[in-house]
PDB file of all heavy atoms in Angstrom:
ATOM      1  N   ILE F  46     -23.070 -11.213  -0.205  1.00  0.00           N
ATOM      2  CA  ILE F  46     -22.643 -11.218   1.210  1.00  0.00           C
ATOM      3  C   ILE F  46     -23.364 -10.095   1.966  1.00  0.00           C
ATOM      4  O   ILE F  46     -23.909 -10.315   3.050  1.00  0.00           O
ATOM      5  CB  ILE F  46     -21.103 -11.070   1.320  1.00  0.00           C
ATOM      6  CG1 ILE F  46     -20.427 -12.341   0.828  1.00  0.00           C
ATOM      7  CG2 ILE F  46     -20.688 -10.736   2.735  1.00  0.00           C
ATOM      8  CD1 ILE F  46     -18.926 -12.227   0.624  1.00  0.00           C
ATOM      9  N   VAL F  47     -23.368  -8.897   1.383  1.00  0.00           N
ATOM     10  CA  VAL F  47     -24.022  -7.750   2.066  1.00  0.00           C
ATOM     11  C   VAL F  47     -25.500  -8.045   2.260  1.00  0.00           C
ATOM     12  O   VAL F  47     -26.051  -7.794   3.333  1.00  0.00           O
ATOM     13  CB  VAL F  47     -23.807  -6.454   1.227  1.00  0.00           C
ATOM     14  CG1 VAL F  47     -24.614  -5.308   1.817  1.00  0.00           C
ATOM     15  CG2 VAL F  47     -22.335  -6.095   1.174  1.00  0.00           C
ATOM     16  N   GLU F  48     -26.125  -8.607   1.262  1.00  0.00           N
ATOM     17  CA  GLU F  48     -27.561  -8.922   1.376  1.00  0.00           C
ATOM     18  C   GLU F  48     -27.809  -9.981   2.453  1.00  0.00           C
ATOM     19  O   GLU F  48     -28.716  -9.870   3.267  1.00  0.00           O
ATOM     20  CB  GLU F  48     -28.116  -9.412   0.030  1.00  0.00           C
ATOM     21  CG  GLU F  48     -28.258  -8.261  -0.965  1.00  0.00           C
ATOM     22  CD  GLU F  48     -28.642  -8.727  -2.378  1.00  0.00           C
ATOM     23  OE1 GLU F  48     -28.456  -9.926  -2.693  1.00  0.00           O
ATOM     24  OE2 GLU F  48     -29.101  -7.867  -3.140  1.00  0.00           O
ATOM     25  N   GLU F  49     -26.955 -11.002   2.454  1.00  0.00           N
ATOM     26  CA  GLU F  49     -27.125 -12.076   3.429  1.00  0.00           C
ATOM     27  C   GLU F  49     -26.959 -11.571   4.860  1.00  0.00           C
ATOM     28  O   GLU F  49     -27.727 -11.920   5.757  1.00  0.00           O
ATOM     29  CB  GLU F  49     -26.077 -13.175   3.125  1.00  0.00           C
ATOM     30  CG  GLU F  49     -26.501 -14.548   3.603  1.00  0.00           C
ATOM     31  CD  GLU F  49     -25.512 -15.609   3.105  1.00  0.00           C
ATOM     32  OE1 GLU F  49     -25.220 -15.646   1.889  1.00  0.00           O
ATOM     33  OE2 GLU F  49     -25.031 -16.389   3.938  1.00  0.00           O
ATOM     34  N   ILE F  50     -25.970 -10.710   5.048  1.00  0.00           N
ATOM     35  CA  ILE F  50     -25.714 -10.157   6.386  1.00  0.00           C
ATOM     36  C   ILE F  50     -26.864  -9.243   6.807  1.00  0.00           C
ATOM     37  O   ILE F  50     -27.295  -9.258   7.963  1.00  0.00           O
ATOM     38  CB  ILE F  50     -24.360  -9.391   6.407  1.00  0.00           C
ATOM     39  CG1 ILE F  50     -23.221 -10.397   6.294  1.00  0.00           C
ATOM     40  CG2 ILE F  50     -24.213  -8.558   7.661  1.00  0.00           C
ATOM     41  CD1 ILE F  50     -21.854  -9.777   6.086  1.00  0.00           C
ATOM     42  N   SER F  51     -27.388  -8.478   5.863  1.00  0.00           N
ATOM     43  CA  SER F  51     -28.507  -7.557   6.170  1.00  0.00           C
ATOM     44  C   SER F  51     -29.738  -8.331   6.631  1.00  0.00           C
ATOM     45  O   SER F  51     -30.524  -7.831   7.442  1.00  0.00           O
ATOM     46  CB  SER F  51     -28.876  -6.708   4.941  1.00  0.00           C
ATOM     47  OG  SER F  51     -27.745  -6.016   4.494  1.00  0.00           O
ATOM     48  N   ASN F  52     -29.877  -9.566   6.129  1.00  0.00           N
ATOM     49  CA  ASN F  52     -31.045 -10.369   6.505  1.00  0.00           C
ATOM     50  C   ASN F  52     -30.797 -11.258   7.726  1.00  0.00           C
ATOM     51  O   ASN F  52     -31.672 -12.025   8.128  1.00  0.00           O
ATOM     52  CB  ASN F  52     -31.457 -11.284   5.324  1.00  0.00           C
ATOM     53  CG  ASN F  52     -31.950 -10.449   4.153  1.00  0.00           C
ATOM     54  OD1 ASN F  52     -32.541  -9.393   4.354  1.00  0.00           O
ATOM     55  ND2 ASN F  52     -31.703 -10.925   2.951  1.00  0.00           N
ATOM     56  N   ASP F  53     -29.583 -11.162   8.291  1.00  0.00           N
ATOM     57  CA  ASP F  53     -29.239 -12.018   9.435  1.00  0.00           C
ATOM     58  C   ASP F  53     -29.411 -11.207  10.724  1.00  0.00           C
ATOM     59  O   ASP F  53     -28.616 -10.315  11.038  1.00  0.00           O
ATOM     60  CB  ASP F  53     -27.777 -12.488   9.287  1.00  0.00           C
ATOM     61  CG  ASP F  53     -27.377 -13.494  10.346  1.00  0.00           C
ATOM     62  OD1 ASP F  53     -28.057 -13.556  11.403  1.00  0.00           O
ATOM     63  OD2 ASP F  53     -26.393 -14.222  10.127  1.00  0.00           O
ATOM     64  N   ASP F  54     -30.446 -11.546  11.477  1.00  0.00           N
ATOM     65  CA  ASP F  54     -30.770 -10.785  12.692  1.00  0.00           C
ATOM     66  C   ASP F  54     -29.733 -10.990  13.794  1.00  0.00           C
ATOM     67  O   ASP F  54     -29.663 -10.197  14.718  1.00  0.00           O
ATOM     68  CB  ASP F  54     -32.157 -11.210  13.224  1.00  0.00           C
ATOM     69  CG  ASP F  54     -33.262 -10.774  12.265  1.00  0.00           C
ATOM     70  OD1 ASP F  54     -32.998  -9.834  11.477  1.00  0.00           O
ATOM     71  OD2 ASP F  54     -34.357 -11.394  12.271  1.00  0.00           O
TER      72      ASP F  54
END
Side-chain angles (χ1 to χ4, degrees):
I46 290 169
V47 173
E48 287 173 341
E49 205 172 309
I50 290 171
S51 304
N52 294 328
D53 186 340
D54 293 338

